[in-house]
Amino acid sequence: SGQVFHAPFIYANPNFKLSKIVERNSDNSKKLYPDIEIVRDYQDLLNDVSIKLIVITTPNYFHFEMAKEALLAEKHVIIEKPFTTNSEQADELINLSKEKSKILSVFHNRRFDGDFQTVKKVVENKLLGRLVEYEAHFDRFRNVLKYNAWREKILAGSGILFDLGSHLIDQALVLFGLPNFVTDDIRIQRESEVDDYFELILDYGRLKVTLKAGMLVREPGPRFILHGTEGSFIKYGIDPQEDLLRQGVLPGGADWGKENEKNWGTLNTDIKGLHFSGKLETIQGSYAAFYENIYDAIVLHRNLVVKPEEARNTIRVIELAFESNSKKKTLPFSEIT
């Protein structure tokens, strides 16, 4: 996460200086960023008064303690999603950030996917009339477990619901706010120790939201399915930014994050008495916008786009989802654990 999603955007943004990277056992960062200093101990970051912002991209069960230490050391903090492993930890960090007057945000980068930005515009502009059904998928095909991967072990914050589910839940809460009820079906489909499939239903009264993710989907279906009183929007494919980053392509240029036309979504609807059926160009994605907002929030005191309270609500939905699955029943949403 640090190598693929964070360092490139910090390095490419002239408002930031990538200063130090914690690497426990290697010096690989020097190959990409020869001017940075590699340190072995997290305390080296905390003790450096010149460092203003710390980005935490460790396994999920380290998020709370490391973020707490950074805030106590008077640093602004970004935490890779998911925020924490429970909502009580999230609340403690939120309160501490306010006490210290420091920025605290969570890297919910999928808000900045071009496909989600397009879906958001479709919903906001009521292009489908009154929305009645929203379905979003984050599917993969990995029928062999990754060797010694912490996400596959029984640890706090492991499993697919915390990993991919946090993206889908965050997007749904951005679009529709907090749900009335939560129902979840969580399963282990491979020879895994932890969950690798879920179907989560968020009830908004006349609107049904279905969020699904699995690791045994070899032939992917639509990523987004939206139905309303006037029409439908169906979207295949995934935002290209992650693939570019994994290929080592640094962000920048007019076409960064631009999706291939073959993956544009299909809109079939009536708009002000006119019927339209055809492709809808995908808005250009930009993970860089997350870091641009972080700079604006720290230096210019502007509002955060990804507020920690919102990330905390995502964790609360995950908690209720596990409880729903365990009790095999629908639960009302409650912000109190």
Side-chain angles (χ1 to χ4, degrees):
S1 175
Q3 178 181 334
V4 173
F5 287 109
H6 294 271
F9 291 103
I10 297 171
Y11 184 76
N13 190 320
N15 291 319
F16 292 89
K17 179 185 177 183
L18 186 59
S19 176
K20 291 183 178 181
I21 294 177
V22 179
E23 280 198 77
R24 303 294 186 187
N25 304 305
S26 72
D27 296 330
N28 292 334
S29 300
K30 279 283 188 181
K31 299 173 186 176
L32 297 171
Y33 311 108
D35 296 332
I36 60 98
E37 179 183 348
I38 293 176
V39 297
R40 304 302 184 198
D41 192 335
Y42 182 55
Q43 291 297 320
D44 288 341
L45 302 187
L46 302 178
N47 296 334
D48 189 337
V49 295
S50 71
I51 290 177
K52 301 294 187 288
L53 171 68
I54 288 179
V55 182
I56 297 170
T57 64
T58 53
N60 301 342
Y61 50 89
F62 288 126
H63 286 185
F64 171 70
E65 290 296 341
M66 295 181 74
K68 183 176 180 179
E69 287 183 287
L71 289 168
L72 289 171
E74 307 292 338
K75 312 295 186 185
H76 302 289
V77 180
I78 294 170
I79 305 176
E80 177 59 68
K81 65 80 207 165
F83 188 3
T84 53
T85 61
N86 64 65
S87 55
E88 290 182 357
Q89 292 176 343
D91 284 333
E92 184 174 340
L93 292 180
I94 290 168
N95 292 333
L96 182 58
S97 69
K98 291 176 179 177
E99 177 187 324
K100 295 293 184 179
S101 298
K102 295 300 176 183
I103 292 299
L104 173 64
S105 189
V106 179
F107 191 60
H108 276 297
N109 61 307
R110 296 295 173 178
R111 290 194 192 188
F112 304 91
D113 279 355
D115 51 14
F116 177 69
Q117 288 293 316
T118 305
V119 165
K120 190 167 181 280
K121 287 291 186 183
V122 168
V123 172
E124 290 174 345
N125 289 290
K126 302 185 185 302
L127 297 187
L128 306 179
R130 178 174 57 81
L131 198 65
V132 298
E133 189 168 3
Y134 168 96
E135 184 171 331
H137 289 247
F138 205 147
D139 294 322
R140 290 174 172 166
F141 183 71
R142 294 180 184 172
N143 60 351
V144 177
L145 303 185
K146 187 175 181 180
Y147 174 71
N148 206 32
W150 62 265
R151 285 188 179 88
E152 306 280 9
K153 297 181 181 298
I154 302 175
L155 297 165
S158 293
I160 197 172
L161 185 56
F162 269 103
D163 185 24
L164 303 183
S166 61
H167 285 308
L168 297 178
I169 294 166
D170 177 70
Q171 290 176 336
L173 299 190
V174 167
L175 291 176
F176 310 117
L178 300 177
N180 299 322
F181 297 93
V182 174
T183 311
D184 204 1
D185 176 11
I186 303 171
R187 297 174 184 250
I188 299 175
Q189 296 183 329
R190 304 171 300 165
E191 299 301 319
S192 174
E193 297 178 4
V194 294
D195 55 289
D196 58 9
Y197 167 91
F198 70 84
E199 180 180 34
L200 173 61
I201 296 175
L202 305 180
D203 187 333
Y204 291 87
R206 299 173 81 182
L207 168 65
K208 177 184 179 182
V209 169
T210 304
L211 310 175
K212 293 186 68 173
M215 303 297 281
L216 292 177
V217 183
R218 195 162 196 167
E219 187 63 34
R223 185 160 174 82
F224 291 99
I225 305 168
L226 285 76
H227 300 302
T229 56
E230 300 298 326
S232 300
F233 180 70
I234 309 295
K235 174 72 177 65
Y236 286 81
I238 190 169
D239 182 280
Q241 292 178 91
E242 180 175 352
D243 282 345
L244 290 171
L245 292 166
R246 291 194 182 281
Q247 293 165 25
V249 181
L250 286 176
D255 291 335
W256 173 266
K258 194 170 185 178
E259 188 175 60
N260 191 299
E261 185 174 348
K262 70 178 183 179
N263 287 329
W264 292 358
T266 298
L267 178 66
N268 186 349
T269 191
D270 289 328
I271 306 173
K272 295 183 178 180
L274 295 173
H275 177 241
F276 173 85
S277 180
K279 292 291 185 179
L280 186 64
E281 183 174 354
T282 303
I283 294 172
Q284 199 164 338
S286 177
Y287 297 160
F290 174 86
Y291 272 100
E292 290 165 6
N293 175 251
I294 293 295
Y295 172 82
D296 288 346
I298 293 173
V299 177
L300 304 177
H301 307 292
R302 292 178 179 167
N303 290 332
L304 277 173
V305 171
V306 183
K307 299 175 178 61
E309 293 83 1
E310 296 169 338
R312 186 266 184 199
N313 288 336
T314 291
I315 299 303
R316 184 60 188 138
V317 171
I318 290 174
E319 290 175 329
L320 288 169
F322 278 114
E323 185 179 351
S324 166
N325 180 74
S326 175
K327 294 181 176 178
K328 303 301 179 188
K329 64 185 293 187
T330 295
L331 299 175
F333 180 83
S334 168
E335 294 187 69
I336 302 173
T337 55

